């Protein structure tokens, strides 16, 4: 029987945490940034961060909440999945965003936590958790795209170091990056077993040349990268020699999970005014407030249903991944579905705005409206980067459905 000194009920731990998060955000998030998700572009080199953006990055980095579920000993938040979800909800409620991101967070960090030595984790993870460094990915080559295992960039063993020579292409953010995680060949006699996972500590080192590739959308996030007699210490090898294919494919699962879940560019593409907002503004409504175009109305409803079902499936998949060993081959399904939803949105946006969406750039809220055609052009890459749709279909067929190649 409870005494007068004892409370009759206990505070819900999650709601207590929610109150803590809400108070912290109110104290630390600059009001001028409300509703402006500029964090990713600042991290990846799109623009120089403002004083408010920099202050917010530092605050989130120091708190560890930029990578909320990573271990505290490496600069993460040490939160469980439920707490991380509360943090995400409260950021959204406050019109705030997570300023810690990029390839270090979405791909390399989780992989290094799994395969790296303690020395490598202590060296690299804290800086990723605070967004102090920018990482790029050295995977594809001119003759090793879909057939990634055909890479020829060679790391020659020189005792305590390697000498690296070769070329990478589609190096996203290479012109802004400080460091690079790279698949290289250490054995020319074996295809998959001859690949190793190597870290390039300085993208500005002698022998490294980066050339941006201009895209039809006007942006230049992709690059060609050339390595000529670049010296790389043996301590930068992740795992053992010949383990690169295993580590590299594991990293791709993290990438596809992040891209399909909106942590990458696909998710940012879907930000901005909703399709219903655009349609009501540019197509008009009837006396009942419905869109005048009944066919468009039905297609918008179907798209919204697909998008919401996809979001719920992602949440369920995240919970299942947490109870197992992280992302699985199922990320290939999510990647393909996410690409379709994203591209469908772009197609509908162009149709809704027509000639009024031909603008290339603008200011404020209007920029997300007028650049529909540019967004549509850029969106064609969504079903290619991170592994093309055809490659994902192969993964789904072999690793999920158990279908084998017929000889």
């Amino acid at each position: 029987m409870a005494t007068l000194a004892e409370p009759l009920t206990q505070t819900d731990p999650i709601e207590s945490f929610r109150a803590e998060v809400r108070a912290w955000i109110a104290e630390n998030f600059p009001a001028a940034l409300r509703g402006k998700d500029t964090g990713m572009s600042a991290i990846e080199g799109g623009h120089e961060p403002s004083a408010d953006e920099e202050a917010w990055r530092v605050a989130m980095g120091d708190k560890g909440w930029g990578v909320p579920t990573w271990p505290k000993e490496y600069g993460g938040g040490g939160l469980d999945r439920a707490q991380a979800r509360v943090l995400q909800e409260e950021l959204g409620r406050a019109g705030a965003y997570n300023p810690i991101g990029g390839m270090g967070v979405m791909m390399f960090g989780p992989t290094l936590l799994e395969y790296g030595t303690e020395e490598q984790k202590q060296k690299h993870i804290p800086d990723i958790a605070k967004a102090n460094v920018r990482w790029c990915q050295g995977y594809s080559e001119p003759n090793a795209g879909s057939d990634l295992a055909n890479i020829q960039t060679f790391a020659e063993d020189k005792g305590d170091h390697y000498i690296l020579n070769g070329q990478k292409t589609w190096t996203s953010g290479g012109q802004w990056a400080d460091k690079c995680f790279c698949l290289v060949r250490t054995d020319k006699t074996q295809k998959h077993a001859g690949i190793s996972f190597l870290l390039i500590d300085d993208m500005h080192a002698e022998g490294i040349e980066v050339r941006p590739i201009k895209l039809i959308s006007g942006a230049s996030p992709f690059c060609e990268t050339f390595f000529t007699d670049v010296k790389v210490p043996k301590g930068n090898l992740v795992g053992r020699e010949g383990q690169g294919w295993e580590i590299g494919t594991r990293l791709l699962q993290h990438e596809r999970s992040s891209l399909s879940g909106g942590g990458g560019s696909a998710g940012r593409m879907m930000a901005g005014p909703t399709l219903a907002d655009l349609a009501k503004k540019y197509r008009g409504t009837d006396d009942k407030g419905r869109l005048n175009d009944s066919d468009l109305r039905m297609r918008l409803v179907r798209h919204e249903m697909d998008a919401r079902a996809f979001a719920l499936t992602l949440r369920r998949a995240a919970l299942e991944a947490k109870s197992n060993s992280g992302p699985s081959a199922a990320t290939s399904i999510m990647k393909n579905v996410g690409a379709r939803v994203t591209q469908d949105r772009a197609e509908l946006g162009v149709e809704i705005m027509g000639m009024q969406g031909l603008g290339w750039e603008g200011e404020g809220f209007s920029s997300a409206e007028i650049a529909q055609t540019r967004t549509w052009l850029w969106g064609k890459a969504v079903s290619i980067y991170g592994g093309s749709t055809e490659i994902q279909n192969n993964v789904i067929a072999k690793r999920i459905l158990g279908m084998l190649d017929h000889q």
Side-chain angles (χ1 to χ4, degrees):
M1 182 175 180
T3 67
L4 292 177
E6 295 174 338
L8 294 177
T9 60
Q10 293 184 342
T11 303
D12 184 342
I14 284 295
E15 291 309 309
S16 294
F17 179 71
R18 185 183 299 278
E20 175 192 339
V21 172
R22 188 172 296 183
W24 187 87
I25 293 174
E27 181 179 351
N28 290 276
F29 181 61
L33 299 182
R34 192 177 305 278
K36 300 178 180 179
D37 186 352
T38 58
M40 288 299 295
S41 59
I43 291 167
E44 294 177 349
H47 76 285
E48 289 298 318
S50 67
D52 281 338
E53 290 166 351
E54 181 66 9
W56 179 231
R57 179 191 68 82
V58 171
M60 281 285 279
D62 289 345
K63 189 70 172 176
W65 282 356
V67 283
T69 60
W70 289 13
K72 281 191 173 183
E73 59 264 35
Y74 304 121
L79 305 184
D80 60 31
R81 184 67 62 177
Q83 290 173 322
R85 189 161 57 250
V86 167
L87 173 60
Q88 183 179 18
E89 291 169 355
E90 289 303 311
L91 287 171
R93 188 196 65 83
Y97 62 92
N98 187 346
I100 311 293
M103 295 187 181
V105 169
M106 67 187 285
M107 291 185 272
F108 175 57
T111 307
L112 192 67
L113 284 170
E114 185 173 349
Y115 287 95
T117 64
E118 184 61 26
E119 181 180 356
Q120 289 171 337
K121 294 175 188 177
Q122 293 289 351
K123 178 180 179 180
H124 297 296
I125 298 296
D127 278 338
I128 295 173
K130 293 178 181 289
N132 288 334
V133 298
R134 291 169 290 195
W135 285 84
C136 65
Q137 178 183 27
Y139 269 39
S140 297
E141 297 182 6
N143 293 309
S146 295
D147 184 13
L148 182 60
N150 193 45
I151 62 168
Q152 299 301 312
T153 296
F154 186 62
E156 184 179 1
D157 192 335
K158 291 293 185 178
D160 64 346
H161 67 277
Y162 296 101
I163 293 296
L164 187 63
N165 284 280
Q167 177 187 355
K168 296 292 180 179
T169 192
W170 308 120
T171 313
S172 302
Q175 70 269 53
W176 304 307
D178 304 300
K179 301 174 185 288
C180 177
F181 51 91
C182 197
L183 287 182
V184 302
R185 185 159 299 285
T186 48
D187 185 344
K188 294 183 178 180
T189 67
Q190 302 183 78
K191 189 172 184 179
H192 293 82
I195 296 173
S196 299
F197 195 99
L198 202 60
L199 307 181
I200 313 301
D201 270 337
D202 183 6
M203 281 293 288
H204 308 289
E206 183 178 356
I208 300 178
E209 180 185 2
V210 179
R211 302 176 188 171
I213 300 172
K214 193 81 168 182
L215 303 185
I216 193 172
S217 65
S220 297
F222 300 122
C223 302
E224 294 178 292
T225 305
F226 299 86
F227 301 101
T228 305
D229 293 333
V230 178
K231 185 177 180 180
V232 182
K234 279 283 185 71
N236 286 16
L237 177 70
V238 178
R240 63 182 184 277
E241 279 194 9
Q243 196 181 5
W245 187 251
E246 173 191 336
I247 298 172
T249 52
R250 179 60 168 165
L251 181 142
L252 289 176
Q253 289 181 337
H254 287 294
E255 178 186 25
R256 290 160 188 165
S257 176
S258 183
L259 289 176
S260 65
S265 300
R268 295 195 299 280
M269 179 180 174
M270 295 178 70
T274 68
L275 290 175
D277 292 336
L278 289 177
K280 288 178 180 179
K281 181 175 180 179
Y282 291 96
R283 288 302 187 93
T285 58
D286 60 21
D287 55 2
K288 294 182 179 180
R290 302 176 304 183
L291 293 178
N292 287 323
D293 187 333
S294 60
D295 177 67
L296 176 60
R297 186 166 68 235
M298 288 303 300
R299 285 185 287 126
L300 287 178
V301 169
R302 291 193 191 100
H303 171 74
E304 183 65 18
M305 290 172 64
D306 285 347
R308 293 192 184 192
F310 177 57
L312 290 172
T313 303
L314 285 174
R315 178 174 292 188
R316 176 172 56 81
L319 293 174
E320 291 174 352
K322 182 65 175 179
S323 65
N324 296 298
S325 57
S328 67
T331 57
S332 292
I333 299 175
M334 303 304 180
K335 169 63 166 58
N336 278 0
V337 176
R340 180 181 61 78
V341 170
T342 300
Q343 291 178 339
D344 284 350
R345 186 193 193 282
E347 295 278 353
L348 286 166
V350 168
E351 178 182 346
I352 288 168
M353 294 197 65
M355 293 291 290
Q356 296 177 87
L358 294 178
W360 207 243
E361 57 190 2
E363 295 295 331
F365 182 85
S366 63
S367 64
E369 296 182 25
I370 66 174
Q372 288 295 320
T373 299
R374 186 177 186 182
T375 300
W376 173 78
L377 288 169
W378 178 89
K380 296 304 179 185
V382 178
S383 52
I384 300 174
Y385 64 56
S388 70
T389 297
E390 293 78 9
I391 292 297
Q392 306 311 323
N393 286 340
N394 284 343
V395 173
I396 293 165
K398 293 179 180 179
R399 300 184 186 176
I400 297 177
L401 300 179
M403 299 169 64
L404 300 176
D405 290 335
H406 294 288
Q407 301 298 325

